[in-house]
């Protein structure tokens, strides 16, 4: 602050013919075209103080950053949401539906716009006999909703799509089946 | 001796470790010291990386991308304002009995400009999605292993720098005409560098350069133990990360 005031005082002395207001004289930062015209760096007491802290304090910064890899879930204790952890042993079935990397059941609701928006329930991460899984889920959905359910089995990408919003039904069925 | 990479899997897997319902694939580890193959031990390969269902469409997308993203077309045609001449109206608008024209280089004229022709230079750069590239690597590695074209060696140290040593070794073991040797380090041992230098079909590559096109171009893929560890660690990290969208942010063409 002292340097700025000193500079503005010199400026006033040089230009005593014209009157300037305080704001125009207060130049905090100037960009000079040559090195020699630039004001040189002053001794440290002219600038704001700082002090170094221990590098152990970095842990306070690190714990604020979100983890990039999802950590494993705690083995004991119940969750207050209706999320259940994946079981340790697979069920004895010819197919398997793997959980996602965030330990969620891989059932999604898509909106596929075919003139009118069509709701599609999609089951992903399927391994094994996909046709048997499709038959099992379809018969369950038809029993629950008491209407015909249209489905698509994609053998290459290993997913099943059901026409309609049956996400909760399918998720419940998968959790009961032990996936 | 059974070598294990469980440490690397555990560090990076989260939900994928241990691979519960897909059995790890066991592969022999060979040596490069002698022409004849000596089996040094067994190793477990993570099924999420090496035992995926190979998606041929994803492999095709990766190959197409690798060939196309750096392609620049230099074909050029001139438009009507670039063709020499054609500034003057050929004849007056009315009175001659002939059709009316403004310029002799308009696209309907012979020798005129081309309207929608190629314009040089045209880049064909695009970035394939993060997961498509990741799954391309997984599919190709799985296909290579399933088709018996993937071999693991302890290291790439060979006793001589004679090119014929490599020829005899590859011939003896039934490895394909073209072999891709992959190591973790990008500075390879001197002997194998000298031996493979004269052969265009024996290529050395660090793990960070591994790509679908090269793996398909070479018949056999030979990985060192260090390369396998690094590869699994990186691929499993990418499979389990939640911030993959930020990785592709800088390549988005429609955003600044």
């Amino acid at each position: 602050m002292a340097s700025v005031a000193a500079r503005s005082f010199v400026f006033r002395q040089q230009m005593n013919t014209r009157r300037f207001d305080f704001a125009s004289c207060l130049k905090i930062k100037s960009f000079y075209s040559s090195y020699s015209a630039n004001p040189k760096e002053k001794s440290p007491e002219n600038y704001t103080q700082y002090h170094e802290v221990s590098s152990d304090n970095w842990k306070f910064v690190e714990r604020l950053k979100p983890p990039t890899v999802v950590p494993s879930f705690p083995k004991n204790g119940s969750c207050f949401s209706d999320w259940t952890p994946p079981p340790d042993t697979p069920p004895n079935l010819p197919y398997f539906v793997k959980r996602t990397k965030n330990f969620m059941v891989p059932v999604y609701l898509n909106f596929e716009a075919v003139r009118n928006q069509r709701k599609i329930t999609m089951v992903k991460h399927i391994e094994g006999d996909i046709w048997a899984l499709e038959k099992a889920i379809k018969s369950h959905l038809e029993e629950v909703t008491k209407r015909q359910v249209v489905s698509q089995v994609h053998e290459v990408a290993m997913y099943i799509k059901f026409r309609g919003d049956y996400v909760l039904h399918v998720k419940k069925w998968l959790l009961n089946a032990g996936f | 001796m059974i070598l294990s990479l469980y440490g690397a899997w555990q560090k990076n897997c989260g939900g994928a470790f241990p691979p519960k319902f897909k059995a790890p694939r066991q592969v022999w580890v060979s040596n490069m010291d002698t022409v004849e193959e000596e089996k040094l031990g067994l190793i477990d390969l993570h099924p999420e990386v090496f035992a995926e269902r190979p998606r041929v469409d994803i492999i095709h997308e990766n190959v197409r991308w690798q060939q196309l993203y750096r392609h620049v077309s230099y074909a050029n045609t001139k438009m009507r304002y670039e063709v020499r001449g054609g500034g003057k109206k050929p004849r007056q608008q009315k009175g001659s009995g002939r059709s009316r024209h403004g310029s002799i280089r308009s696209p309907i004229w012979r020798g005129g400009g081309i309207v929608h022709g190629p314009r040089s230079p045209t880049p064909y750069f695009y970035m394939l999605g993060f997961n498509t590239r990741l799954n391309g690597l997984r599919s190709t590695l799985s296909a290579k292993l399933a088709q018996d074209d993937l071999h693991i060696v302890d290291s790439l140290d060979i006793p001589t720098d004679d090119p014929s040593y490599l020829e005899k070794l590859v011939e003896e073991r039934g490895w394909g005409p073209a072999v891709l040797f992959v190591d973790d380090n990008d500075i390879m041992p001197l002997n194998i560098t000298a031996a493979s230098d004269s052969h265009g079909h024996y290529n050395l590559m660090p793990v960070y350069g591994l790509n679908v096109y090269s793996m398909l171009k070479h018949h056999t893929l030979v990985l060192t133990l260090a390369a396998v560890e690094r590869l699994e660690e990186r691929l499993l990290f990418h499979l389990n990360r939640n911030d993959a969208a930020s990785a592709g942010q800088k390549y988005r063409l429609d955003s600044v």
Side-chain angles (χ1 to χ4, degrees):
Chain A
M1 220 44 204
S3 65
V4 169
R7 210 183 299 139
S8 70
F9 178 64
V10 165
F11 193 64
R12 254 186 243 241
Q13 275 190 327
Q14 285 168 354
M15 295 282 178
N16 52 8
T17 52
R18 286 210 278 177
R19 206 179 297 170
F20 294 91
D21 55 328
F22 182 71
S24 71
C25 288
L26 201 72
K27 287 210 288 185
I28 306 298
K29 196 173 186 181
S30 305
F31 295 98
Y32 296 94
S33 60
S34 69
Y35 174 75
S36 54
N38 258 301
K40 302 296 180 291
E41 194 184 292
K42 297 190 174 55
S43 59
E45 54 264 16
N46 295 104
Y47 302 104
T48 53
Q49 297 298 311
Y50 68 94
H51 61 276
E52 278 190 33
V53 297
S54 156
S55 59
D56 296 337
N57 291 355
W58 180 249
K59 63 174 186 288
F60 296 113
V61 176
E62 258 192 336
R63 71 184 190 184
L64 293 169
K65 289 179 356 183
T68 47
V69 177
V70 177
S72 192
F73 48 85
K75 295 288 183 265
N76 48 356
S78 64
C79 289
F80 297 108
S81 66
D82 57 357
W83 177 84
T84 50
D88 289 326
T89 53
N92 189 17
L93 292 163
Y95 39 78
F96 182 71
V97 179
K98 188 172 177 288
R99 294 276 182 113
T100 67
K101 62 180 172 234
N102 296 316
F103 308 107
M104 305 279 278
V105 177
V107 183
Y108 307 96
L109 182 64
N110 291 343
F111 294 96
E112 288 172 18
V114 182
R115 291 224 185 113
N116 311 312
Q117 270 216 329
R118 191 179 270 178
K119 290 180 196 159
I120 306 280
T121 309
M122 186 167 166
V123 184
K124 288 172 67 175
H125 301 309
I126 300 167
E127 289 158 24
D129 190 351
I130 193 168
W131 288 102
L133 174 65
E134 186 252 355
K135 199 166 162 187
I137 298 180
K138 194 166 176 176
S139 60
H140 170 75
L141 288 177
E142 284 175 349
E143 192 188 309
V144 162
T145 58
K146 310 236 181 335
R147 57 173 73 175
Q148 241 199 347
V149 170
V150 179
S151 67
Q152 179 206 358
V153 170
H154 198 293
E155 286 175 316
V156 175
M158 292 300 263
Y159 65 72
I160 303 171
K161 286 186 177 175
F162 298 100
R163 197 188 290 179
D165 181 3
Y166 303 119
V167 171
L168 291 173
H169 296 298
V170 175
K171 270 190 184 166
K172 215 167 164 181
W173 186 91
L174 287 170
L175 287 169
N176 283 337
F179 294 121
Chain B
M1 148 180 106
I2 294 186
L3 307 159
S4 172
L5 295 175
Y6 282 106
W9 297 354
Q10 193 154 22
K11 189 159 76 87
N12 277 302
C13 281
F17 177 81
K20 290 179 191 168
F21 311 122
K22 266 191 191 176
R25 300 300 189 254
Q26 292 198 312
V27 178
W28 287 109
V29 179
S30 326
N31 68 332
M32 291 282 281
D33 302 333
T34 58
V35 169
E36 289 83 26
E37 192 168 14
E38 255 179 53
K39 293 181 165 59
L40 302 173
L42 274 171
I43 192 171
D44 280 344
L45 295 181
H46 201 295
E48 292 282 310
V49 176
F50 288 97
E52 271 300 301
R53 283 170 73 99
R55 283 280 299 271
V56 185
D57 58 326
I58 292 179
I59 295 173
H60 167 259
E61 273 183 49
N62 273 272
V63 170
R64 180 183 184 266
W65 169 70
Q66 279 189 260
Q67 288 172 324
L68 209 54
Y69 81 92
R70 60 191 119 177
H71 175 59
V72 178
S73 168
Y74 297 105
N76 193 47
T77 52
K78 290 182 168 40
M79 291 178 63
R80 60 183 289 173
Y81 61 88
E82 288 170 333
V83 181
R84 190 147 175 106
K88 194 162 85 121
K89 194 168 168 66
R91 51 183 162 277
Q92 63 188 8
Q93 181 82 357
K94 300 185 77 60
S96 68
R98 299 174 67 188
S99 58
R100 52 192 179 175
H101 292 288
S103 145
I104 59 163
R105 301 299 188 208
S106 100
I108 64 175
W109 279 66
R110 175 196 172 275
I114 308 292
V115 182
H116 291 304
R119 300 293 286 162
S120 162
T122 308
Y124 287 84
F125 173 80
Y126 69 102
M127 209 60 196
L128 206 56
F130 185 90
N131 288 323
T132 314
R133 283 178 282 130
L134 180 63
N135 291 328
L137 283 173
R138 290 164 81 200
S139 286
T140 323
L141 287 167
S142 308
K144 282 288 185 199
L145 179 64
Q147 292 176 339
D148 199 25
D149 286 328
L150 192 129
H151 301 277
I152 317 271
V153 295
D154 57 343
S155 79
L156 292 180
D157 293 311
I158 57 174
T160 65
D161 60 356
D162 190 12
S164 64
Y165 176 85
L166 261 185
E167 279 175 35
K168 285 198 223 103
L169 187 143
V170 168
E171 188 64 43
E172 165 73 28
R173 299 180 187 202
W175 294 355
V179 183
L180 184 64
F181 297 95
V182 178
D183 197 3
D184 190 13
N185 204 356
D186 45 10
I187 298 173
M188 304 291 180
L190 177 63
N191 281 343
I192 195 160
T193 315
S196 61
D197 195 41
S198 55
H199 297 296
H201 48 285
Y202 300 142
N203 289 308
L204 309 173
M205 188 182 267
V207 160
Y208 60 76
L210 197 60
N211 59 88
V212 172
Y213 183 87
S214 293
M215 283 199 273
L216 293 179
K217 194 89 170 119
H218 296 81
H219 301 89
T220 310
L221 181 66
V222 174
L223 300 164
T224 56
L225 277 178
V228 168
E229 183 162 344
R230 180 73 136 160
L231 192 59
E232 285 192 347
E233 185 241 310
R234 293 315 298 160
L235 286 180
L236 289 169
F237 166 67
H238 289 308
L239 275 171
N240 287 289
R241 67 189 295 186
N242 273 321
D243 61 344
S246 62
Q249 197 61 38
K250 59 181 172 176
Y251 299 114
R252 281 180 183 274
L253 295 173
D254 54 353
S255 67
V256 177

